[in-house]
Amino acid sequence: MSAKIRNRIKELRLSRGWSQQQLAENVGVSRQSINSIERDRYVPSLLLALTFARVFDCSTDDIFSMEDHNENSASGN
């Protein structure tokens, strides 16, 4: 079984009217890191995830979710 982490970073950022650069400055990373996270190319560390929660004033569960993908589900294994 494998899992994919999904996030709502872009949705939350846009709802506040922030640019990627503004969010990056608020959480202490580069704009490129924000871009990679929003495009699901990079899963942030626990520390960064907690920082996002603080900046967005919500829980990490409100930002991140895990999608389970069972590679053998079609074969019943």
Side-chain angles (χ1 to χ4, degrees), residues 8-51:
R8 297 177 53 227
I9 300 296
K10 184 174 184 177
E11 173 188 343
L12 293 167
R13 174 179 62 79
L14 291 175
S15 73
R16 285 156 177 79
W18 295 345
S19 67
Q20 286 183 341
Q21 185 63 43
Q22 288 170 311
L23 177 56
E25 290 170 3
N26 280 321
V27 298
V29 298
S30 69
R31 184 205 56 79
Q32 291 85 351
S33 292
I34 298 297
N35 182 271
S36 292
I37 292 166
E38 288 183 353
R39 296 174 63 111
D40 292 324
R41 293 182 178 170
Y42 171 69
V43 176
S45 67
L46 177 57
L47 179 61
L48 184 52
L50 292 170
T51 303

